[in-house]
Amino acid sequence: VGAVEPAADTGAAIATDVVRDLEALARLVGEIASRDGVVVAPIGVGENALHEAPVGFAFALGPGRAAYVPFGHAGLSSHPQLGREAVIESIATLLGVGRWGGTETKATLALLGDSGREPAPPVWDAEIAGFLLDPAGTRGIVALAAQHLGRRLRSWEEFAGRGAKAVSATDLPIETTAVWAGEMAAAVAELAPL
């Protein structure tokens, strides 16, 4: 497990652990299972969460701490990383026994359902909560963080590019993705009381 420091432009002080092996995954699941709830964010699902599988999951671990579990990155810098099935099995078990929520919960449910797992339904989704608070407002974690936390987060497009210059989630370096993912997971955890 390696800690990755946050990007300087966001002002967030989130230390993100990158989980790359089964032993570290077991420790992470144990730590999260001991909490009252799980905050999870699938990373890299893009605009169509039901058709683009995530490349990893981010978890909020407390103030200033997060973890990123990569499993779908490609390229020379993508190893070591865990296999998709090992991650899905651990995540499905974790989400099947306790209270959980986050962002893009539909994408998480779809991925686990496509793999034959049925976690408990999420008890909250930050974007749904944002919609209920202001149906006409801008949606997404970036907008909610700006409105309710006074924090500027980079959007997926700012992080991965847009249009012809966009880099696919699978081609992004794990360490760089971990920084962005940690910032998102931490913001989602802070938005949970919405």
Side-chain angles (χ1 to χ4, degrees):
V1 177
V4 180
E5 292 304 314
D9 66 336
T10 64
I14 309 302
T16 303
D17 294 334
V18 179
V19 177
R20 292 181 176 263
D21 59 53
L22 290 174
E23 185 178 308
L25 180 60
R27 282 194 310 271
L28 174 66
V29 168
E31 179 180 349
I32 294 170
S34 70
R35 299 174 181 272
D36 289 336
V38 178
V39 177
V40 61
I43 303 301
V45 294
E47 299 257 335
N48 194 341
L50 297 181
H51 297 292
E52 295 179 48
V55 295
F57 285 105
F59 297 91
L61 301 177
R65 262 188 83 223
Y68 179 59
V69 183
F71 59 85
H73 291 265
L76 296 175
S77 66
S78 66
H79 296 286
Q81 68 180 330
L82 290 159
R84 177 182 159 143
E85 282 305 311
V87 173
I88 288 174
E89 184 64 36
S90 293
I91 301 308
T93 301
L94 186 63
L95 301 184
V97 296
R99 295 172 21 101
W100 71 280
T103 182
E104 304 281 353
T105 57
K106 193 172 185 179
T108 300
L109 289 170
L111 176 67
L112 297 176
D114 288 347
S115 299
R117 280 38 168 240
E118 295 215 20
V123 295
W124 59 271
D125 183 296
E127 286 141 334
I128 293 172
F131 172 77
L132 293 172
L133 287 171
D134 186 3
T138 305
R139 294 188 179 64
I141 299 305
V142 173
L144 290 170
Q147 290 172 331
H148 298 281
L149 304 176
R151 183 178 309 150
R152 183 193 178 291
L153 297 175
R154 295 174 292 168
S155 69
W156 180 258
E157 290 78 20
E158 288 175 303
F159 170 61
R162 87 180 71 220
K165 295 186 180 200
V167 176
S168 74
T170 59
D171 293 330
L172 290 167
I174 289 174
E175 283 73 19
T176 307
T177 304
V179 171
W180 185 85
E183 292 167 357
M184 286 293 147
V188 171
E190 288 183 59
L191 289 166
L194 289 178

